[in-house]
Every structure is written in structure tokens, then in C-alpha cells.
Amino acid sequence: MNVVVWNENRHEKLNPKVTEIYPEGIHGAIASFLREEGHDVTTATLDQPEHGLTEQVLAEADVLLWWGHLAHDEVDETIVERVHQRVLDGMGLIVLHSGHFSKIFKKLMGTGCDLKWREANDRERLWVVDPSHPIVAGLDTYFELEKEEMYGEHFDIPAPDELVFISWFEGGEVFRSGATYRRGKGKVFYFRPGHETYPTYHHEQIQKVIKNAVAWTASLGAPTHQYGNVEPIEEISVKE
Ligand code: ZN
């Protein structure tokens, strides 16, 4: 499977604390544990030509992961349109944490995608609310992150096709932290945790969820329908 991990890669350059947690960048950390699954994993970042997402890179990608925060506005509309079309054509897309405000996620959702937030070292408890879903394979009924940024409801998204996780935070809020959508032939998974100043992507259960999500969002071998005006398959009898 061809997996591309996209990261804006700005916090890593601006904040030594983030560099200390993720010396290879958030994209490097995610790519590293996905390679353990035997996938062919490459990374792409905002400052590369075409943000590293050329026609060829996207054409070959089965799944794209997206982490962005500071620089959503710097993502070129042409690239957003290109990613959008690939999702409709069947590429899986996993949108992580502050990617809720990325152009591509908002375009796919069609809503404001806003939420409440707080950086106060809340404990986060992620409850599995769809125990039959492939994304939660191998997990317990819940798992915890000792410290995370809080995201709280209301989260302005369309009703998910499947709600996989609900998070509880120490300060009292809850959040739909794992949600799936079908768009065209593509599958989309939004997964909340992953604030840059916490070691969230080194957490065993987080890695398990992302590995499962890569397998689930890939639509390998799906049929391609032709749209528009078509000739009949059967001969149509002449009617009076
Ligand atoms: Zn954050």
C-alpha cells in the first residue's frame, strides 16, 4: 500500500519543544510507525514545490494523512482541488487533530468545522463507541492520554457516517473524536488527538488506531462507474 503523510511542518521549525518530541517532525514519527506495517510510506510538507503533492504522488497514493494547523491558508487551492478529486476517485484520507480547519476537510464536510478548545493539560479518555468497527480492532473499551489539548462540542461537522470514538476531557467536555465519512469512492476518517506539544503520536494505542485507519480508508480494487448518458445494457422493447 502507498501511504503519504502530509504535514505543514511549521511548529517543528518554530518551537524547540515540538522538535524535541518529534525530531523527525510529526510526519516523520507517523511515517516511521506506518512503515512497521510494511507500507510504502513517503512524506510531503507544505514548503515543498506543490506542497509535495504532485499529480503523480497523489495518483499513486492509496491513503493520505493530513496534519496542519498554523498555515491552513497557505495551502494552494489547486492542490486542495487535486486532493479533493483523488478522494472522490477513491483515495483514503485521514485528517488529524487541527486538520479539522484545513481547506480540504472543510471542503469535504461542507460545514464550518469549528469547535471549542483549551490548552490546559486535560486528561483525555477516548471511548470506543463502535466496537465492531475495523478502526478499533485490538483496542480495549477505552484508552487514555495523560495530557492533551481539549477539543469540545459542539463540533460543527455533518452527522458522521460512523462515529467510532467519543472523548471525555478532565475539564468536563466531550467530543466526537473519531468519525468516518464516504465521499464519492473515497473514505475519510477524522481523528482528534495529536496536539504538537504532547507526545501523542508515540502512544501505542494512537499508533494502533492510525494503522487500522490506513487499512480501512484504502479502497483497493473498487469498481469505477461511468456517469452521464449511457446506452442500454439490454435491448429495450418498443412500446405503444
Ligand atoms: Zn492543537
Side-chain angles (χ1 to χ4, degrees):
M1 199 127 71
N2 276 316
V3 181
V4 178
V5 183
W6 190 89
N7 179 18
E8 68 175 27
N9 196 31
R10 288 287 168 85
H11 288 289
E12 289 90 334
K13 293 176 181 171
L14 298 169
N15 185 348
K17 189 176 171 186
V18 178
T19 319
E20 193 186 324
I21 299 169
Y22 298 113
E24 311 297 324
I26 288 172
H27 52 298
I30 294 172
S32 162
F33 68 75
L34 287 178
R35 285 191 186 106
E36 293 169 8
E37 296 292 279
H39 300 311
D40 196 342
V41 186
T42 54
T43 61
T45 55
L46 180 65
D47 293 332
Q48 291 177 313
E50 302 181 60
H51 310 324
L53 299 174
T54 61
E55 295 275 9
Q56 192 187 345
V57 164
L58 287 174
E60 292 172 357
D62 297 305
V63 178
L64 173 67
L65 293 93
W66 193 278
W67 199 102
H69 179 226
L70 292 176
H72 293 316
D73 288 348
E74 292 178 46
V75 177
D76 195 285
E77 299 291 346
T78 311
I79 307 301
V80 176
E81 189 52 47
R82 191 181 285 171
V83 172
H84 185 255
Q85 190 57 51
R86 275 292 294 134
V87 171
L88 300 184
D89 290 344
M91 180 183 73
L93 178 69
I94 299 171
V95 176
L96 298 166
H97 187 60
S98 39
H100 73 91
F101 253 174
S102 61
K103 288 179 180 175
I104 182 60
F105 189 64
K106 291 206 283 190
K107 186 177 175 76
L108 285 161
M109 297 298 107
T111 55
C113 299
D114 211 345
L115 46 79
K116 295 188 180 76
W117 61 276
R118 171 175 66 237
E119 282 187 63
N121 296 336
D122 282 68
R123 185 155 50 97
E124 177 175 7
R125 182 176 298 143
L126 288 104
W127 284 96
V128 172
V129 295
D130 187 349
S132 68
H133 203 285
I135 285 178
V136 302
L139 296 180
D140 210 334
T141 52
Y142 69 84
F143 66 93
E144 292 186 351
L145 302 170
E146 192 187 343
K147 292 176 194 171
E148 250 291 357
E149 179 181 14
M150 184 283 292
Y151 277 8
E153 296 283 345
H154 173 243
F155 185 18
D156 184 17
I157 48 172
D161 292 338
E162 297 156 316
L163 183 59
V164 183
F165 292 104
I166 293 176
S167 284
W168 166 90
F169 292 89
E170 199 173 350
E173 292 84 358
V174 295
F175 191 77
R176 289 169 289 171
S177 52
T180 75
Y181 296 90
R182 264 82 166 181
R183 291 292 184 269
K185 282 172 68 181
K187 289 193 262 182
V188 179
F189 179 56
Y190 173 78
F191 191 43
R192 193 218 78 84
H195 186 67
E196 66 276 0
T197 55
Y198 302 110
T200 299
Y201 295 115
H202 297 309
H203 190 281
E204 190 185 343
Q205 273 79 26
I206 293 290
Q207 295 185 1
K208 192 180 285 286
V209 170
I210 293 174
K211 287 173 181 177
N212 288 345
V214 164
W216 181 79
T217 52
S219 309
L220 303 176
T224 300
H225 281 280
Q226 279 191 308
Y227 297 105
N229 186 246
V230 292
E231 292 298 316
I233 298 165
E234 311 290 343
E235 196 174 331
I236 300 168
S237 59
V238 179
K239 300 179 187 76
E240 292 296 319

PDB file of all heavy atoms in Angstrom, residues 131-153:
ATOM      1  N   PRO A 131     -17.792  -0.775  18.633  1.00  0.00           N
ATOM      2  CA  PRO A 131     -16.826  -1.854  18.875  1.00  0.00           C
ATOM      3  C   PRO A 131     -16.645  -2.813  17.704  1.00  0.00           C
ATOM      4  O   PRO A 131     -15.671  -3.558  17.670  1.00  0.00           O
ATOM      5  CB  PRO A 131     -17.395  -2.587  20.104  1.00  0.00           C
ATOM      6  CG  PRO A 131     -18.810  -2.155  20.223  1.00  0.00           C
ATOM      7  CD  PRO A 131     -18.936  -0.820  19.558  1.00  0.00           C
ATOM      8  N   SER A 132     -17.557  -2.785  16.713  1.00  0.00           N
ATOM      9  CA  SER A 132     -17.399  -3.683  15.561  1.00  0.00           C
ATOM     10  C   SER A 132     -16.579  -3.034  14.451  1.00  0.00           C
ATOM     11  O   SER A 132     -16.297  -3.664  13.432  1.00  0.00           O
ATOM     12  CB  SER A 132     -18.776  -4.068  15.005  1.00  0.00           C
ATOM     13  OG  SER A 132     -19.395  -2.938  14.421  1.00  0.00           O
ATOM     14  N   HIS A 133     -16.201  -1.764  14.610  1.00  0.00           N
ATOM     15  CA  HIS A 133     -15.522  -1.067  13.510  1.00  0.00           C
ATOM     16  C   HIS A 133     -14.067  -1.533  13.379  1.00  0.00           C
ATOM     17  O   HIS A 133     -13.366  -1.645  14.386  1.00  0.00           O
ATOM     18  CB  HIS A 133     -15.570   0.449  13.723  1.00  0.00           C
ATOM     19  CG  HIS A 133     -15.401   1.190  12.440  1.00  0.00           C
ATOM     20  ND1 HIS A 133     -14.179   1.301  11.816  1.00  0.00           N
ATOM     21  CD2 HIS A 133     -16.298   1.794  11.642  1.00  0.00           C
ATOM     22  CE1 HIS A 133     -14.342   1.972  10.678  1.00  0.00           C
ATOM     23  NE2 HIS A 133     -15.623   2.282  10.564  1.00  0.00           N
ATOM     24  N   PRO A 134     -13.605  -1.779  12.138  1.00  0.00           N
ATOM     25  CA  PRO A 134     -12.208  -2.216  11.935  1.00  0.00           C
ATOM     26  C   PRO A 134     -11.172  -1.242  12.513  1.00  0.00           C
ATOM     27  O   PRO A 134     -10.061  -1.660  12.862  1.00  0.00           O
ATOM     28  CB  PRO A 134     -12.073  -2.294  10.416  1.00  0.00           C
ATOM     29  CG  PRO A 134     -13.463  -2.461   9.896  1.00  0.00           C
ATOM     30  CD  PRO A 134     -14.371  -1.753  10.863  1.00  0.00           C
ATOM     31  N   ILE A 135     -11.516   0.025  12.636  1.00  0.00           N
ATOM     32  CA  ILE A 135     -10.557   1.015  13.142  1.00  0.00           C
ATOM     33  C   ILE A 135     -10.219   0.793  14.624  1.00  0.00           C
ATOM     34  O   ILE A 135      -9.167   1.215  15.092  1.00  0.00           O
ATOM     35  CB  ILE A 135     -11.105   2.455  12.875  1.00  0.00           C
ATOM     36  CG1 ILE A 135     -10.943   2.779  11.384  1.00  0.00           C
ATOM     37  CG2 ILE A 135     -10.392   3.506  13.722  1.00  0.00           C
ATOM     38  CD1 ILE A 135     -11.478   4.149  10.967  1.00  0.00           C
ATOM     39  N   VAL A 136     -11.084   0.088  15.363  1.00  0.00           N
ATOM     40  CA  VAL A 136     -10.819  -0.107  16.794  1.00  0.00           C
ATOM     41  C   VAL A 136     -10.309  -1.513  17.112  1.00  0.00           C
ATOM     42  O   VAL A 136     -10.192  -1.872  18.287  1.00  0.00           O
ATOM     43  CB  VAL A 136     -12.057   0.223  17.667  1.00  0.00           C
ATOM     44  CG1 VAL A 136     -12.499   1.659  17.419  1.00  0.00           C
ATOM     45  CG2 VAL A 136     -13.200  -0.750  17.415  1.00  0.00           C
ATOM     46  N   ALA A 137      -9.994  -2.285  16.063  1.00  0.00           N
ATOM     47  CA  ALA A 137      -9.509  -3.654  16.286  1.00  0.00           C
ATOM     48  C   ALA A 137      -8.286  -3.647  17.198  1.00  0.00           C
ATOM     49  O   ALA A 137      -7.346  -2.880  16.989  1.00  0.00           O
ATOM     50  CB  ALA A 137      -9.166  -4.298  14.946  1.00  0.00           C
ATOM     51  N   GLY A 138      -8.320  -4.481  18.225  1.00  0.00           N
ATOM     52  CA  GLY A 138      -7.171  -4.623  19.116  1.00  0.00           C
ATOM     53  C   GLY A 138      -7.153  -3.653  20.286  1.00  0.00           C
ATOM     54  O   GLY A 138      -6.261  -3.705  21.121  1.00  0.00           O
ATOM     55  N   LEU A 139      -8.147  -2.771  20.359  1.00  0.00           N
ATOM     56  CA  LEU A 139      -8.205  -1.821  21.477  1.00  0.00           C
ATOM     57  C   LEU A 139      -9.055  -2.393  22.609  1.00  0.00           C
ATOM     58  O   LEU A 139      -9.816  -3.337  22.419  1.00  0.00           O
ATOM     59  CB  LEU A 139      -8.838  -0.498  21.032  1.00  0.00           C
ATOM     60  CG  LEU A 139      -8.126   0.345  19.979  1.00  0.00           C
ATOM     61  CD1 LEU A 139      -8.941   1.604  19.710  1.00  0.00           C
ATOM     62  CD2 LEU A 139      -6.720   0.708  20.432  1.00  0.00           C
ATOM     63  N   ASP A 140      -8.951  -1.759  23.786  1.00  0.00           N
ATOM     64  CA  ASP A 140      -9.865  -2.042  24.881  1.00  0.00           C
ATOM     65  C   ASP A 140     -11.093  -1.136  24.717  1.00  0.00           C
ATOM     66  O   ASP A 140     -11.201  -0.420  23.723  1.00  0.00           O
ATOM     67  CB  ASP A 140      -9.146  -1.770  26.208  1.00  0.00           C
ATOM     68  CG  ASP A 140      -9.670  -2.680  27.316  1.00  0.00           C
ATOM     69  OD1 ASP A 140     -10.838  -3.121  27.220  1.00  0.00           O
ATOM     70  OD2 ASP A 140      -8.916  -2.937  28.272  1.00  0.00           O
ATOM     71  N   THR A 141     -12.000  -1.138  25.694  1.00  0.00           N
ATOM     72  CA  THR A 141     -13.220  -0.330  25.557  1.00  0.00           C
ATOM     73  C   THR A 141     -12.917   1.170  25.582  1.00  0.00           C
ATOM     74  O   THR A 141     -13.693   1.975  25.091  1.00  0.00           O
ATOM     75  CB  THR A 141     -14.224  -0.648  26.671  1.00  0.00           C
ATOM     76  OG1 THR A 141     -13.540  -0.527  27.928  1.00  0.00           O
ATOM     77  CG2 THR A 141     -14.772  -2.061  26.511  1.00  0.00           C
ATOM     78  N   TYR A 142     -11.806   1.536  26.207  1.00  0.00           N
ATOM     79  CA  TYR A 142     -11.349   2.927  26.161  1.00  0.00           C
ATOM     80  C   TYR A 142      -9.840   2.953  26.366  1.00  0.00           C
ATOM     81  O   TYR A 142      -9.238   1.965  26.799  1.00  0.00           O
ATOM     82  CB  TYR A 142     -12.037   3.792  27.231  1.00  0.00           C
ATOM     83  CG  TYR A 142     -11.652   3.476  28.660  1.00  0.00           C
ATOM     84  CD1 TYR A 142     -10.501   4.014  29.236  1.00  0.00           C
ATOM     85  CD2 TYR A 142     -12.444   2.625  29.433  1.00  0.00           C
ATOM     86  CE1 TYR A 142     -10.148   3.709  30.541  1.00  0.00           C
ATOM     87  CE2 TYR A 142     -12.098   2.315  30.737  1.00  0.00           C
ATOM     88  CZ  TYR A 142     -10.943   2.865  31.294  1.00  0.00           C
ATOM     89  OH  TYR A 142     -10.591   2.561  32.570  1.00  0.00           O
ATOM     90  N   PHE A 143      -9.221   4.087  26.048  1.00  0.00           N
ATOM     91  CA  PHE A 143      -7.829   4.308  26.429  1.00  0.00           C
ATOM     92  C   PHE A 143      -7.654   5.783  26.767  1.00  0.00           C
ATOM     93  O   PHE A 143      -8.533   6.606  26.456  1.00  0.00           O
ATOM     94  CB  PHE A 143      -6.836   3.829  25.367  1.00  0.00           C
ATOM     95  CG  PHE A 143      -6.859   4.573  24.058  1.00  0.00           C
ATOM     96  CD1 PHE A 143      -5.991   5.650  23.846  1.00  0.00           C
ATOM     97  CD2 PHE A 143      -7.714   4.218  23.035  1.00  0.00           C
ATOM     98  CE1 PHE A 143      -5.986   6.336  22.636  1.00  0.00           C
ATOM     99  CE2 PHE A 143      -7.728   4.897  21.828  1.00  0.00           C
ATOM    100  CZ  PHE A 143      -6.867   5.960  21.624  1.00  0.00           C
ATOM    101  N   GLU A 144      -6.544   6.084  27.435  1.00  0.00           N
ATOM    102  CA  GLU A 144      -6.362   7.449  27.942  1.00  0.00           C
ATOM    103  C   GLU A 144      -5.048   8.061  27.483  1.00  0.00           C
ATOM    104  O   GLU A 144      -4.044   7.373  27.323  1.00  0.00           O
ATOM    105  CB  GLU A 144      -6.396   7.448  29.475  1.00  0.00           C
ATOM    106  CG  GLU A 144      -7.762   7.115  30.025  1.00  0.00           C
ATOM    107  CD  GLU A 144      -7.840   7.263  31.545  1.00  0.00           C
ATOM    108  OE1 GLU A 144      -6.797   7.458  32.199  1.00  0.00           O
ATOM    109  OE2 GLU A 144      -8.963   7.179  32.066  1.00  0.00           O
ATOM    110  N   LEU A 145      -5.083   9.363  27.306  1.00  0.00           N
ATOM    111  CA  LEU A 145      -3.878  10.159  27.089  1.00  0.00           C
ATOM    112  C   LEU A 145      -3.732  11.028  28.329  1.00  0.00           C
ATOM    113  O   LEU A 145      -4.675  11.730  28.721  1.00  0.00           O
ATOM    114  CB  LEU A 145      -4.031  11.021  25.835  1.00  0.00           C
ATOM    115  CG  LEU A 145      -4.314  10.229  24.551  1.00  0.00           C
ATOM    116  CD1 LEU A 145      -4.699  11.168  23.416  1.00  0.00           C
ATOM    117  CD2 LEU A 145      -3.101   9.388  24.163  1.00  0.00           C
ATOM    118  N   GLU A 146      -2.568  10.965  28.930  1.00  0.00           N
ATOM    119  CA  GLU A 146      -2.360  11.642  30.214  1.00  0.00           C
ATOM    120  C   GLU A 146      -2.576  13.154  30.111  1.00  0.00           C
ATOM    121  O   GLU A 146      -3.167  13.778  30.988  1.00  0.00           O
ATOM    122  CB  GLU A 146      -0.941  11.325  30.687  1.00  0.00           C
ATOM    123  CG  GLU A 146      -0.665  11.708  32.115  1.00  0.00           C
ATOM    124  CD  GLU A 146       0.820  11.528  32.465  1.00  0.00           C
ATOM    125  OE1 GLU A 146       1.538  10.822  31.713  1.00  0.00           O
ATOM    126  OE2 GLU A 146       1.241  12.113  33.465  1.00  0.00           O
ATOM    127  N   LYS A 147      -2.085  13.733  29.016  1.00  0.00           N
ATOM    128  CA  LYS A 147      -2.243  15.176  28.797  1.00  0.00           C
ATOM    129  C   LYS A 147      -2.527  15.415  27.323  1.00  0.00           C
ATOM    130  O   LYS A 147      -1.829  14.879  26.464  1.00  0.00           O
ATOM    131  CB  LYS A 147      -0.954  15.934  29.126  1.00  0.00           C
ATOM    132  CG  LYS A 147      -0.546  15.959  30.574  1.00  0.00           C
ATOM    133  CD  LYS A 147       0.801  16.665  30.674  1.00  0.00           C
ATOM    134  CE  LYS A 147       1.444  16.436  32.028  1.00  0.00           C
ATOM    135  NZ  LYS A 147       2.841  16.949  32.034  1.00  0.00           N
ATOM    136  N   GLU A 148      -3.519  16.232  27.057  1.00  0.00           N
ATOM    137  CA  GLU A 148      -3.788  16.644  25.669  1.00  0.00           C
ATOM    138  C   GLU A 148      -4.459  18.009  25.674  1.00  0.00           C
ATOM    139  O   GLU A 148      -4.928  18.478  26.714  1.00  0.00           O
ATOM    140  CB  GLU A 148      -4.689  15.620  24.948  1.00  0.00           C
ATOM    141  CG  GLU A 148      -3.985  14.803  23.848  1.00  0.00           C
ATOM    142  CD  GLU A 148      -3.599  15.590  22.609  1.00  0.00           C
ATOM    143  OE1 GLU A 148      -3.905  16.800  22.526  1.00  0.00           O
ATOM    144  OE2 GLU A 148      -2.987  14.992  21.696  1.00  0.00           O
ATOM    145  N   GLU A 149      -4.467  18.628  24.512  1.00  0.00           N
ATOM    146  CA  GLU A 149      -5.307  19.792  24.295  1.00  0.00           C
ATOM    147  C   GLU A 149      -6.758  19.313  24.318  1.00  0.00           C
ATOM    148  O   GLU A 149      -7.065  18.218  23.861  1.00  0.00           O
ATOM    149  CB  GLU A 149      -4.981  20.404  22.924  1.00  0.00           C
ATOM    150  CG  GLU A 149      -5.814  21.615  22.600  1.00  0.00           C
ATOM    151  CD  GLU A 149      -5.489  22.191  21.216  1.00  0.00           C
ATOM    152  OE1 GLU A 149      -4.824  21.497  20.412  1.00  0.00           O
ATOM    153  OE2 GLU A 149      -5.897  23.315  20.944  1.00  0.00           O
ATOM    154  N   MET A 150      -7.670  20.125  24.850  1.00  0.00           N
ATOM    155  CA  MET A 150      -9.086  19.784  24.863  1.00  0.00           C
ATOM    156  C   MET A 150      -9.752  20.313  23.594  1.00  0.00           C
ATOM    157  O   MET A 150      -9.497  21.449  23.191  1.00  0.00           O
ATOM    158  CB  MET A 150      -9.753  20.407  26.103  1.00  0.00           C
ATOM    159  CG  MET A 150     -11.223  20.040  26.291  1.00  0.00           C
ATOM    160  SD  MET A 150     -12.398  20.916  25.225  1.00  0.00           S
ATOM    161  CE  MET A 150     -12.286  22.590  25.845  1.00  0.00           C
ATOM    162  N   TYR A 151     -10.549  19.456  22.946  1.00  0.00           N
ATOM    163  CA  TYR A 151     -11.495  19.889  21.921  1.00  0.00           C
ATOM    164  C   TYR A 151     -12.883  19.532  22.445  1.00  0.00           C
ATOM    165  O   TYR A 151     -13.096  18.391  22.868  1.00  0.00           O
ATOM    166  CB  TYR A 151     -11.289  19.127  20.607  1.00  0.00           C
ATOM    167  CG  TYR A 151     -10.194  19.635  19.680  1.00  0.00           C
ATOM    168  CD1 TYR A 151      -9.301  20.639  20.066  1.00  0.00           C
ATOM    169  CD2 TYR A 151     -10.059  19.092  18.407  1.00  0.00           C
ATOM    170  CE1 TYR A 151      -8.319  21.069  19.192  1.00  0.00           C
ATOM    171  CE2 TYR A 151      -9.075  19.527  17.533  1.00  0.00           C
ATOM    172  CZ  TYR A 151      -8.199  20.514  17.925  1.00  0.00           C
ATOM    173  OH  TYR A 151      -7.227  20.937  17.057  1.00  0.00           O
ATOM    174  N   GLY A 152     -13.814  20.512  22.402  1.00  0.00           N
ATOM    175  CA  GLY A 152     -15.140  20.251  22.951  1.00  0.00           C
ATOM    176  C   GLY A 152     -16.267  20.501  21.969  1.00  0.00           C
ATOM    177  O   GLY A 152     -16.136  21.293  21.035  1.00  0.00           O
ATOM    178  N   GLU A 153     -17.387  19.819  22.220  1.00  0.00           N
ATOM    179  CA  GLU A 153     -18.615  20.047  21.442  1.00  0.00           C
ATOM    180  C   GLU A 153     -19.201  21.415  21.798  1.00  0.00           C
ATOM    181  O   GLU A 153     -19.064  21.848  22.938  1.00  0.00           O
ATOM    182  CB  GLU A 153     -19.637  18.940  21.740  1.00  0.00           C
ATOM    183  CG  GLU A 153     -19.181  17.551  21.301  1.00  0.00           C
ATOM    184  CD  GLU A 153     -19.293  17.323  19.783  1.00  0.00           C
ATOM    185  OE1 GLU A 153     -19.978  18.107  19.111  1.00  0.00           O
ATOM    186  OE2 GLU A 153     -18.674  16.362  19.314  1.00  0.00           O
TER     187      GLU A 153
END
